[in-house]
Amino acid sequence: MAIDSPFTGIVDWRQVTLSYAKEFQELGGAVSTDFEVKDICMAPESPEGSIDGMKPPISIKSSKGEEVQAQYVLTCGGLYSDRLSQMSGCSPEPRIVPFRGDYLVLKPKKHYLVMGNIYPVPDPRFPFLGVHFTPRMDGSIWLGPNAILAFKREGYSMWDFSPKDFLNAVCFSGLHKLVIKNLMFGIAEIYRGAFIAAQVKQLQRYIPELTKDDIQRGPSGVRAQALDKDGNLVDDFVFDGGVGALGSRVLHVRNAPSPAATSSLAIAEVIADEVVGRFQL
Protein backbone atom coordinates (compact mmCIF):
# COMPACT_ATOMS: atom_id res chain seq x y z
CA MET A 1 0.00 0.00 0.00
CA ALA A 2 1.27 3.48 -0.87
CA ILE A 3 0.04 7.04 -0.45
CA ASP A 4 -0.81 9.03 -3.57
CA SER A 5 0.48 12.57 -3.09
CA PRO A 6 0.45 14.21 -6.56
CA PHE A 7 1.10 17.74 -5.27
CA THR A 8 4.14 16.97 -3.11
CA GLY A 9 6.89 19.50 -3.84
CA ILE A 10 10.61 19.02 -4.36
CA VAL A 11 13.18 21.52 -3.13
CA ASP A 12 16.96 21.88 -2.89
CA TRP A 13 17.55 21.86 0.88
CA ARG A 14 21.11 23.09 0.55
CA GLN A 15 19.80 26.19 -1.23
CA VAL A 16 17.06 26.63 1.40
CA THR A 17 19.65 26.49 4.19
CA LEU A 18 21.88 29.02 2.43
CA SER A 19 18.84 31.30 2.04
CA TYR A 20 18.08 31.05 5.76
CA ALA A 21 21.69 31.98 6.52
CA LYS A 22 21.61 34.90 4.06
CA GLU A 23 18.46 36.37 5.63
CA PHE A 24 19.95 35.93 9.11
CA GLN A 25 23.09 37.82 8.08
CA GLU A 26 21.06 40.58 6.43
CA LEU A 27 19.28 41.07 9.76
CA GLY A 28 22.63 41.60 11.50
CA GLY A 29 23.52 38.04 12.48
CA ALA A 30 26.89 36.35 11.97
CA VAL A 31 27.49 32.78 10.79
CA SER A 32 30.62 30.90 11.92
CA THR A 33 31.39 27.54 10.34
CA ASP A 34 33.97 24.92 11.34
CA PHE A 35 33.38 25.94 14.99
CA GLU A 36 33.47 22.75 17.09
CA VAL A 37 32.05 23.65 20.49
CA LYS A 38 34.19 22.33 23.34
CA ASP A 39 32.72 24.23 26.27
CA ILE A 40 29.79 26.41 27.28
CA CYS A 41 30.40 28.24 30.54
CA MET A 42 29.86 31.44 32.49
CA ALA A 43 32.24 34.15 31.31
CA PRO A 44 34.53 35.74 33.92
CA GLU A 45 33.36 39.14 35.09
CA SER A 46 35.15 42.20 33.75
CA PRO A 47 37.64 43.72 36.22
CA GLU A 48 36.43 46.86 37.94
CA GLY A 49 37.19 49.90 35.80
CA SER A 50 37.78 47.80 32.68
CA ILE A 51 37.48 49.69 29.40
CA ASP A 52 35.79 46.63 27.89
CA GLY A 53 32.62 47.37 29.81
CA MET A 54 30.22 44.64 30.92
CA LYS A 55 30.81 41.35 29.11
CA PRO A 56 27.94 39.06 28.09
CA PRO A 57 27.61 36.35 30.76
CA ILE A 58 27.94 33.24 28.57
CA SER A 59 31.12 32.06 26.84
CA ILE A 60 31.13 29.46 24.05
CA LYS A 61 34.58 28.10 23.28
CA SER A 62 35.74 26.14 20.26
CA SER A 63 38.32 23.39 19.90
CA LYS A 64 40.58 25.95 18.15
CA GLY A 65 40.49 28.38 21.07
CA GLU A 66 37.95 30.72 19.48
CA GLU A 67 35.29 32.28 21.69
CA VAL A 68 31.80 33.69 21.26
CA GLN A 69 30.05 35.54 24.08
CA ALA A 70 26.29 35.88 24.43
CA GLN A 71 23.46 36.89 26.74
CA TYR A 72 21.54 33.68 25.97
CA VAL A 73 22.36 30.50 24.10
CA LEU A 74 20.12 28.30 21.96
CA THR A 75 21.60 25.01 20.74
CA CYS A 76 20.20 22.78 17.99
CA GLY A 77 23.03 20.28 17.85
CA GLY A 78 21.52 17.37 15.92
CA LEU A 79 23.95 14.46 16.18
CA TYR A 80 25.68 16.15 19.13
CA SER A 81 22.66 17.57 20.95
CA ASP A 82 23.09 15.30 23.98
CA ARG A 83 26.77 16.18 24.39
CA LEU A 84 26.11 19.90 24.05
CA SER A 85 23.35 19.61 26.67
CA GLN A 86 25.70 18.01 29.17
CA MET A 87 27.98 21.05 28.99
CA SER A 88 25.41 23.02 30.99
CA GLY A 89 24.66 20.20 33.44
CA CYS A 90 21.84 18.34 31.67
CA SER A 91 21.20 14.62 31.91
CA PRO A 92 22.89 12.39 29.30
CA GLU A 93 19.42 11.20 28.27
CA PRO A 94 17.82 11.08 25.89
CA ARG A 95 20.92 9.69 24.18
CA ILE A 96 21.60 10.32 20.51
CA VAL A 97 22.12 7.07 18.61
CA PRO A 98 23.12 7.55 14.93
CA PHE A 99 21.37 5.54 12.23
CA ARG A 100 22.79 5.60 8.71
CA GLY A 101 20.40 5.57 5.79
CA ASP A 102 21.81 4.33 2.47
CA TYR A 103 20.14 5.34 -0.79
CA LEU A 104 20.09 3.65 -4.16
CA VAL A 105 19.96 5.70 -7.37
CA LEU A 106 17.78 4.83 -10.37
CA LYS A 107 19.71 4.77 -13.62
CA PRO A 108 18.63 7.50 -16.10
CA LYS A 109 17.30 5.02 -18.66
CA LYS A 110 14.60 3.99 -16.18
CA HIS A 111 13.58 7.43 -14.92
CA TYR A 112 10.30 7.09 -16.81
CA LEU A 113 9.16 4.58 -14.17
CA VAL A 114 8.93 7.29 -11.49
CA MET A 115 6.73 10.28 -12.29
CA GLY A 116 6.58 11.69 -8.74
CA ASN A 117 7.20 10.94 -5.06
CA ILE A 118 6.18 7.45 -3.93
CA TYR A 119 5.98 6.81 -0.18
CA PRO A 120 4.93 3.65 1.65
CA VAL A 121 2.38 3.86 4.46
CA PRO A 122 4.62 4.41 7.54
CA ASP A 123 4.87 1.77 10.25
CA PRO A 124 3.83 3.61 13.45
CA ARG A 125 6.30 1.56 15.49
CA PHE A 126 9.26 3.29 13.83
CA PRO A 127 10.17 6.90 12.96
CA PHE A 128 11.66 5.79 9.64
CA LEU A 129 9.60 6.24 6.49
CA GLY A 130 10.80 3.06 4.88
CA VAL A 131 12.04 2.86 1.29
CA HIS A 132 10.55 5.50 -0.98
CA PHE A 133 11.13 7.01 -4.42
CA THR A 134 12.31 10.63 -4.44
CA PRO A 135 12.90 12.69 -7.61
CA ARG A 136 15.61 15.31 -7.03
CA MET A 137 16.07 18.86 -8.31
CA ASP A 138 18.99 17.75 -10.50
CA GLY A 139 16.81 15.15 -12.24
CA SER A 140 18.19 12.11 -10.40
CA ILE A 141 15.88 9.72 -8.54
CA TRP A 142 16.84 8.31 -5.13
CA LEU A 143 15.40 5.07 -3.74
CA GLY A 144 15.48 4.33 -0.02
CA PRO A 145 16.77 4.77 2.59
CA ASN A 146 17.28 1.85 4.93
CA ALA A 147 18.12 2.35 8.63
CA ILE A 148 21.31 0.81 10.05
CA LEU A 149 23.23 1.65 13.22
CA ALA A 150 26.17 3.91 12.30
CA PHE A 151 29.51 3.32 14.02
CA LYS A 152 30.28 7.04 14.02
CA ARG A 153 28.04 10.05 14.61
CA GLU A 154 29.07 11.48 11.26
CA GLY A 155 29.51 8.04 9.72
CA TYR A 156 28.27 8.54 6.18
CA SER A 157 30.14 5.46 4.95
CA MET A 158 29.85 1.89 6.21
CA TRP A 159 33.61 2.04 6.85
CA ASP A 160 33.50 5.14 9.09
CA PHE A 161 34.29 4.22 12.69
CA SER A 162 34.79 6.16 15.93
CA PRO A 163 35.64 4.15 19.08
CA LYS A 164 34.10 6.86 21.27
CA ASP A 165 30.84 7.06 19.31
CA PHE A 166 30.60 3.28 18.93
CA LEU A 167 31.07 2.56 22.63
CA ASN A 168 28.73 5.41 23.56
CA ALA A 169 25.98 3.71 21.55
CA VAL A 170 26.55 -0.01 22.21
CA CYS A 171 27.06 0.45 25.97
CA PHE A 172 23.74 2.30 26.32
CA SER A 173 21.02 0.17 27.93
CA GLY A 174 18.38 1.92 25.84
CA LEU A 175 19.93 0.57 22.64
CA HIS A 176 20.07 -2.94 24.11
CA LYS A 177 16.32 -2.81 24.80
CA LEU A 178 15.57 -1.38 21.35
CA VAL A 179 17.52 -4.20 19.69
CA ILE A 180 15.76 -6.89 21.75
CA LYS A 181 12.34 -5.47 20.89
CA ASN A 182 13.12 -5.18 17.16
CA LEU A 183 15.71 -7.88 16.54
CA MET A 184 14.21 -9.31 13.33
CA PHE A 185 13.58 -5.85 11.87
CA GLY A 186 17.21 -4.90 12.53
CA ILE A 187 18.60 -8.10 10.99
CA ALA A 188 16.44 -7.58 7.90
CA GLU A 189 17.69 -3.99 7.51
CA ILE A 190 21.32 -5.08 7.75
CA TYR A 191 20.71 -7.82 5.18
CA ARG A 192 19.02 -5.43 2.74
CA GLY A 193 21.84 -2.94 3.24
CA ALA A 194 24.43 -5.55 2.30
CA PHE A 195 22.60 -7.07 -0.67
CA ILE A 196 21.07 -4.76 -3.28
CA ALA A 197 18.86 -7.55 -4.60
CA ALA A 198 17.10 -7.78 -1.23
CA GLN A 199 16.38 -4.06 -1.25
CA VAL A 200 15.18 -4.21 -4.86
CA LYS A 201 12.69 -6.90 -3.86
CA GLN A 202 11.19 -4.46 -1.38
CA LEU A 203 11.08 -1.69 -3.99
CA GLN A 204 9.30 -3.98 -6.43
CA ARG A 205 6.23 -3.89 -4.18
CA TYR A 206 5.65 -0.40 -5.66
CA ILE A 207 7.23 -0.74 -9.12
CA PRO A 208 7.22 -4.41 -10.20
CA GLU A 209 9.17 -3.65 -13.40
CA LEU A 210 12.24 -2.57 -11.41
CA THR A 211 15.28 -4.87 -11.60
CA LYS A 212 18.69 -4.99 -9.94
CA ASP A 213 20.29 -3.81 -13.21
CA ASP A 214 18.25 -0.57 -13.06
CA ILE A 215 19.90 0.80 -9.95
CA GLN A 216 23.26 1.61 -8.39
CA ARG A 217 24.45 2.55 -4.92
CA GLY A 218 24.02 6.20 -4.00
CA PRO A 219 24.73 8.61 -1.13
CA SER A 220 23.99 8.12 2.57
CA GLY A 221 22.65 10.26 5.39
CA VAL A 222 22.75 9.92 9.17
CA ARG A 223 19.70 10.34 11.39
CA ALA A 224 20.24 11.74 14.91
CA GLN A 225 17.81 9.45 16.72
CA ALA A 226 17.03 10.35 20.32
CA LEU A 227 16.59 7.25 22.48
CA ASP A 228 15.54 6.94 26.12
CA LYS A 229 16.79 4.42 28.68
CA ASP A 230 13.79 2.16 28.11
CA GLY A 231 14.59 1.73 24.42
CA ASN A 232 11.86 4.08 23.20
CA LEU A 233 12.48 6.22 20.11
CA VAL A 234 11.77 9.83 21.09
CA ASP A 235 9.60 11.45 18.43
CA ASP A 236 8.58 14.78 19.97
CA PHE A 237 10.22 18.01 21.15
CA VAL A 238 12.68 17.73 24.05
CA PHE A 239 13.82 21.02 25.53
CA ASP A 240 16.38 21.31 28.33
CA GLY A 241 18.44 23.96 30.03
CA GLY A 242 20.78 22.69 32.71
CA VAL A 243 21.60 23.72 36.23
CA GLY A 244 22.58 26.91 38.02
CA ALA A 245 23.14 30.33 36.51
CA LEU A 246 24.40 28.80 33.26
CA GLY A 247 21.34 26.59 32.84
CA SER A 248 19.01 29.56 33.28
CA ARG A 249 20.49 31.21 30.20
CA VAL A 250 20.77 28.19 27.91
CA LEU A 251 18.08 26.35 25.94
CA HIS A 252 18.96 23.07 24.27
CA VAL A 253 16.73 21.60 21.57
CA ARG A 254 17.61 17.98 22.25
CA ASN A 255 15.08 16.59 19.80
CA ALA A 256 12.60 17.87 17.23
CA PRO A 257 9.92 15.84 15.44
CA SER A 258 10.40 14.51 11.94
CA PRO A 259 10.26 15.69 9.18
CA ALA A 260 12.52 18.44 10.52
CA ALA A 261 13.51 19.93 7.15
CA THR A 262 10.01 19.99 5.68
CA SER A 263 8.61 21.45 8.90
CA SER A 264 11.58 23.73 9.63
CA LEU A 265 9.65 27.00 9.62
CA ALA A 266 6.87 25.62 11.84
CA ILE A 267 9.45 24.06 14.17
CA ALA A 268 11.26 27.40 14.31
CA GLU A 269 8.06 29.07 15.55
CA VAL A 270 7.71 26.52 18.35
CA ILE A 271 11.34 27.00 19.38
CA ALA A 272 11.02 30.81 19.24
CA ASP A 273 7.99 30.64 21.53
CA GLU A 274 9.96 28.44 23.94
CA VAL A 275 12.87 30.92 23.92
CA VAL A 276 10.59 33.88 24.65
CA GLY A 277 8.83 32.06 27.48
CA ARG A 278 11.90 30.56 29.10
CA PHE A 279 14.08 33.67 28.98
CA GLN A 280 11.13 36.08 29.51
CA LEU A 281 12.14 38.18 26.53
Side-chain angles (χ1 to χ4, degrees):
M1 183 183 297
I3 298 174
D4 181 24
S5 181
F7 303 110
T8 298
I10 304 168
V11 299
D12 181 338
W13 282 109
R14 180 180 184 276
Q15 189 59 50
V16 171
T17 303
L18 291 173
S19 295
Y20 286 165
K22 182 174 181 291
E23 288 193 20
F24 178 68
Q25 291 172 309
E26 289 174 349
L27 291 170
V31 176
S32 298
T33 57
D34 194 22
F35 189 103
E36 181 184 0
V37 176
K38 281 299 182 183
D39 192 23
I40 303 174
C41 59
M42 298 298 295
E45 294 184 3
S46 301
E48 186 175 350
S50 170
I51 61 173
D52 294 334
M54 187 71 72
K55 291 183 179 179
I58 307 296
S59 175
I60 307 166
K61 298 179 180 179
S62 78
S63 57
K64 297 180 180 179
E66 302 162 303
E67 182 181 19
V68 173
Q69 293 185 329
Q71 292 287 343
Y72 300 98
V73 174
L74 169 67
T75 74
C76 302
L79 286 162
Y80 299 97
S81 62
D82 54 344
R83 294 179 183 173
L84 285 172
S85 300
Q86 291 176 69
M87 292 181 185
S88 63
C90 297
S91 166
E93 298 171 14
R95 185 79 58 87
I96 294 299
V97 177
F99 284 89
R100 191 183 74 253
D102 300 317
Y103 284 90
L104 302 175
V105 175
L106 188 64
K107 292 181 179 178
K109 66 180 181 180
K110 287 301 179 77
H111 280 187
Y112 69 88
L113 291 173
V114 181
M115 305 303 294
N117 290 275
I118 303 175
Y119 288 84
V121 176
D123 187 331
R125 295 174 300 168
F126 307 105
F128 314 111
L129 281 174
V131 294
H132 48 278
F133 300 74
T134 307
R136 307 279 294 179
M137 292 290 289
D138 62 2
S140 63
I141 298 175
W142 291 9
L143 320 177
N146 56 6
I148 301 173
L149 179 68
F151 298 150
K152 183 180 179 181
R153 293 210 177 189
E154 293 183 73
Y156 295 96
S157 162
M158 68 175 66
W159 309 114
D160 288 338
F161 180 79
S162 162
K164 177 182 178 181
D165 293 346
F166 177 72
L167 290 173
N168 187 255
V170 300
C171 292
F172 179 44
S173 62
L175 180 60
H176 303 165
K177 295 174 182 176
L178 177 69
V179 170
I180 291 171
K181 289 189 292 186
N182 304 283
L183 182 59
M184 297 310 297
F185 175 85
I187 292 174
E189 283 293 281
I190 293 172
Y191 178 76
R192 285 190 290 266
F195 300 99
I196 289 181
Q199 197 161 347
V200 169
K201 188 175 181 179
Q202 194 175 34
L203 293 166
Q204 287 172 335
R205 296 165 59 191
Y206 308 101
I207 301 182
E209 301 92 336
L210 201 64
T211 70
K212 181 182 175 182
D213 294 332
D214 297 332
I215 61 175
Q216 58 194 27
R217 291 195 179 275
S220 300
V222 179
R223 180 189 181 98
Q225 179 60 55
L227 188 64
D228 69 20
K229 63 181 180 180
D230 296 320
N232 298 313
L233 302 171
V234 181
D235 59 3
D236 202 352
F237 285 103
V238 176
F239 295 112
D240 212 342
V243 297
L246 177 61
S248 68
R249 288 182 170 271
V250 177
L251 175 63
H252 300 288
V253 183
R254 302 191 61 160
N255 193 63
S258 180
T262 306
S263 305
S264 56
L265 292 175
I267 288 174
E269 291 181 1
V270 173
I271 295 173
D273 289 342
E274 185 72 19
V275 167
V276 170
R278 183 164 300 219
F279 298 146
Q280 298 182 350
L281 299 178

